[in-house]
Amino acid sequence: MKKRSFLLTFMLVSVAALLFACSNDEGNNADAESDGDSSVEQVLKIANDQEPAGLDPHKTPAHSSVRIYSQVYSGLVQFDENMEVQGDLAKDWEQPDESTYIFNLREGVTFHNGNEMTAEDVKYSFERIMAEETASHIASYFSNVESIEVLGDYQVQFNLKSADATFLSNLTNASAAVVDQTVVEENEDLQQVAVGTGPFKFVEWVPDNKVVLEKNEDYYNEDLPKLSKVEYYTMKDESARLSAIRTGEVDLTTLTAKSSSLLENQDNLTVKDYQSLEYSYVGFNVDVEPLNDAKVRQALSLATNRESIADIVWNGDAVVSGPVAPSMGDWSIDVKEHELYSNNLDKAKQLLEEAGYADGFDITITTASTYADMVDTAQILKQQWAEIGVNADIEQVEWGAYIDTWLNTSADVLIGRNGSGTDPDRALSYFFHTEGSANVWNYSNTNFDELVEKGKVTTDKEKRKEIYTEAQELLLEDSPNLFLVSPMKYVAVSNSVEGFTPYPHDGEDILEVTKK
């Protein structure tokens, strides 16, 4: 059974190596003892590019956190490898009418603290997500939920305000997790603790070093997981991760296209690639001058050479993207022929002049110092925008400060990466509807809101495509973000690892993984 993802996706070699060495003796001994003996516990060691930003699935969207808590928590449903919705904590469900869903829960499922998971936990979890005081990043996913009823210990009913074509796919999000109310009340939130029903139990988090998970022996699928322990080591510097995977100190790590090419002739490794559902972007605070003028944002789009960004930042292994990544197929529009993607500097200068900025202006681009692709993108944009008189400074901030900056819209221009998700509603409504949970840009357009609201309740697929095509075109014209490129993803995997297949919707599925 394949675990669900998420959505969307955000240094010092000697320090990382030292931390790894100091904490890894026990793991190495376990591996040495397990050679040729499948009965000995198997430990998968993963080098991560970033420290978790917290462990509360209802509050923390950072991928550095999702990769951890998605292994610890379960939701009602999940995607399989073909992106078909299947049961998770819900063994099945029924839909008496277009706005009612009844989920029949698995019986005997327990949280990692031994408490039984019941329909009351489901009701509490989703009401927590929807509560204003939680400030959940996925609250808008469930804005169409009118009420939740407990029909029995193992049966729960969701009453929607109207038909909702996105409801089931939204439930597959890793943040739509069922949590234990008693744990929340004991700890006030779940940022430092993690008690779920998922395949792995949270053991410890050593800041700036590692996170350790161990197998949940009481997982409802008794055949999974196959690993006994997973150790995530924080290695912010890519050269540290590259060294660790080469020497066998770790079994798996993500790498950039440039670094992955250095492993082509490594006999003990395999590099797996896949087209991601992510895209890189430039986000604008549309409430501040001069970015509150659409002509200025359009001028910046015209001055942006996206093909150059794909070639330089991503080594050519990226495709130009709109707000819906091309890997989503027919939901995505072909943006290459759009006027604002034409890299027309004369037109850009004309728009700036019309907006009252004929001589250009000064601006600060904020980016995460820990992601080379974001830093490189900022530097390229600085050069490209200078051609139309826009003088940009670059401010690099650490990951925690970057997350706060994104949440609080405290940067005028922010470089980042988003995940399109598995439904166009995520890519459009979630980030750009006036009430969207991740609309941190202060963007608001009544026509756009009406379109995505209509798309959400339209169940005919072809009609939905027409609606979301129009919404994407409108978004490109308004340009609250500049959508850049959708990169390939690369995962370096030791040949001692079996059963690992990354998917666009879940690049870190380890349920079936074993060590040989």
Side-chain angles (χ1 to χ4, degrees):
M1 186 177 296
K2 301 297 179 183
K3 198 67 185 166
R4 56 195 200 294
S5 180
F6 76 7
L7 206 61
L8 203 334
T9 202
F10 314 114
M11 285 172 194
L12 295 173
V13 180
S14 59
V15 174
L18 177 60
L19 289 173
F20 186 89
C22 291
S23 61
N24 200 38
D25 290 344
E26 181 181 347
N28 284 336
N29 290 338
D31 276 358
E33 293 170 2
S34 67
D35 285 348
D37 185 356
S38 60
S39 66
V40 177
E41 71 172 9
Q42 295 188 338
V43 180
L44 182 70
K45 303 187 185 81
I46 301 174
N48 282 342
D49 56 6
Q50 198 55 259
E51 181 82 353
L55 298 176
D56 195 327
H58 298 164
K59 293 185 175 185
T60 310
H63 181 65
S64 57
S65 298
V66 175
R67 62 162 60 105
I68 305 296
Y69 65 63
S70 64
Q71 308 295 344
V72 175
Y73 292 97
S74 294
L76 287 173
V77 298
Q78 61 188 339
F79 278 130
D80 63 15
E81 63 270 27
N82 299 314
M83 287 184 66
E84 297 290 337
V85 178
Q86 62 178 20
D88 195 358
L89 292 178
K91 61 182 180 181
D92 55 44
W93 60 92
E94 51 197 281
Q95 191 177 1
D97 56 62
E98 65 179 13
S99 60
T100 306
Y101 287 82
I102 298 174
F103 295 92
N104 301 306
L105 307 180
R106 299 181 191 275
E107 299 182 21
V109 175
T110 59
F111 289 100
H112 300 155
N113 58 8
N115 294 342
E116 185 180 20
M117 186 278 304
T118 69
E120 289 288 353
D121 295 300
V122 176
K123 176 179 169 68
Y124 169 77
S125 297
F126 284 91
E127 288 182 343
R128 181 175 187 253
I129 289 170
M130 295 184 293
E132 186 175 348
E133 59 268 25
T134 304
S136 175
H137 59 287
I138 59 168
S140 63
Y141 277 14
F142 304 106
S143 60
N144 197 30
V145 175
E146 187 167 50
S147 64
I148 304 172
E149 299 178 58
V150 171
L151 304 182
D153 287 346
Y154 309 108
Q155 193 173 63
V156 61
Q157 177 172 309
F158 284 72
N159 301 307
L160 309 185
K161 300 170 187 174
S162 61
D164 190 337
T166 70
F167 181 64
L168 283 178
S169 62
N170 284 343
L171 286 176
T172 68
N173 189 280
S175 294
V178 175
V179 303
D180 186 337
Q181 180 175 355
T182 61
V183 177
V184 178
E185 293 174 343
E186 290 170 359
N187 296 275
E188 296 186 1
D189 65 22
L190 302 172
Q191 294 292 37
Q192 300 297 319
V193 297
V195 180
T197 59
F200 292 96
K201 294 181 179 182
F202 173 69
V203 176
E204 67 173 335
W205 175 6
V206 182
D208 297 315
N209 186 350
K210 65 178 179 179
V211 175
V212 178
L213 308 179
E214 68 180 13
K215 178 177 181 176
N216 175 15
E217 298 289 352
D218 297 318
Y219 187 51
Y220 70 78
N221 187 332
E222 61 184 18
D223 296 325
L224 299 173
K226 297 182 179 180
L227 294 165
S228 57
K229 186 181 290 186
V230 186
E231 297 173 349
Y232 295 89
Y233 291 91
T234 300
M235 295 184 177
K236 297 178 182 179
D237 192 288
E238 185 166 41
S239 61
R241 301 195 302 277
L242 192 61
S243 175
I245 192 69
R246 275 174 163 165
T247 59
E249 294 175 84
V250 299
D251 305 304
L252 186 152
T253 189
T254 56
L255 294 170
T256 62
K258 293 177 182 177
S259 290
S260 66
S261 64
L262 300 175
L263 300 177
E264 291 177 352
N265 299 317
Q266 196 85 14
D267 292 337
N268 61 329
L269 298 173
T270 300
V271 176
K272 297 176 183 277
D273 60 31
Y274 60 97
Q275 182 63 51
S276 74
L277 286 164
E278 285 187 356
Y279 61 83
S280 59
Y281 69 84
V282 183
F284 298 130
N285 181 348
V286 301
D287 273 356
V288 301
E289 294 183 355
L291 300 171
N292 58 347
D293 191 324
K295 289 184 177 181
V296 170
R297 303 193 299 269
Q298 292 169 352
L300 293 174
S301 182
L302 286 163
T304 299
N305 186 326
R306 293 163 173 84
E307 293 287 358
S308 179
I309 291 172
D311 290 340
I312 297 172
V313 177
W314 301 100
N315 208 36
D317 291 334
V319 293
V320 173
S321 180
V324 179
S327 52
M328 285 189 68
D330 290 345
W331 294 113
S332 175
I333 63 173
D334 183 2
V335 295
K336 290 184 179 180
E337 300 304 318
H338 196 283
E339 181 185 8
L340 292 178
Y341 279 64
S342 65
N343 195 215
N344 186 332
L345 299 183
D346 291 335
K347 178 66 173 178
K349 292 175 182 177
Q350 177 188 331
L351 287 172
L352 285 185
E353 184 175 358
E354 292 174 4
Y357 298 95
D359 297 325
F361 55 86
D362 297 333
I363 201 75
T364 298
I365 300 173
T366 301
T367 187
S369 62
T370 48
Y371 281 107
D373 64 278
M374 295 187 192
V375 175
D376 291 347
T377 297
Q379 291 171 341
I380 292 172
L381 291 174
K382 175 183 173 69
Q383 297 169 6
Q384 293 180 351
W385 292 356
E387 296 186 58
I388 60 170
V390 175
N391 303 308
D393 290 328
I394 298 174
E395 181 180 4
Q396 298 184 38
V397 298
E398 293 297 319
W399 186 238
Y402 178 88
I403 295 296
D404 289 340
T405 299
W406 179 84
L407 286 169
N408 299 315
T409 321
S410 51
D412 294 344
V413 181
L414 188 71
I415 305 297
R417 274 185 271 128
N418 278 336
S420 290
T422 54
D423 187 280
D425 179 74
R426 147 85 180 195
L428 300 173
S429 181
Y430 178 63
F431 289 112
F432 301 106
H433 186 284
T434 300
E435 302 299 327
S437 294
N439 180 4
V440 299
W441 317 111
N442 299 314
Y443 172 69
S444 181
N445 182 311
T446 301
N447 292 334
F448 179 83
D449 290 350
E450 291 176 351
L451 281 170
V452 294
E453 288 168 7
K454 184 179 179 182
K456 188 178 180 74
V457 300
T458 301
T459 55
D460 183 281
K461 188 173 181 179
E462 292 306 315
K463 290 181 180 178
R464 285 193 85 209
K465 285 180 183 177
E466 293 175 6
I467 292 168
Y468 287 122
T469 293
E470 186 177 350
Q472 289 175 76
E473 294 283 357
L474 194 159
L475 201 59
L476 292 184
E477 287 299 320
D478 281 354
S479 297
N481 280 190
L482 302 189
F483 310 101
L484 303 177
V485 299
S486 179
M488 294 287 290
K489 286 294 191 77
Y490 296 86
V491 185
V493 187
S494 167
N495 288 343
S496 65
V497 173
E498 296 185 317
F500 175 74
T501 302
Y503 298 96
H505 65 282
D506 185 0
E508 300 183 20
D509 176 15
I510 58 173
L511 276 185
E512 301 277 359
V513 166
T514 59
K515 295 280 293 292
K516 63 180 180 180

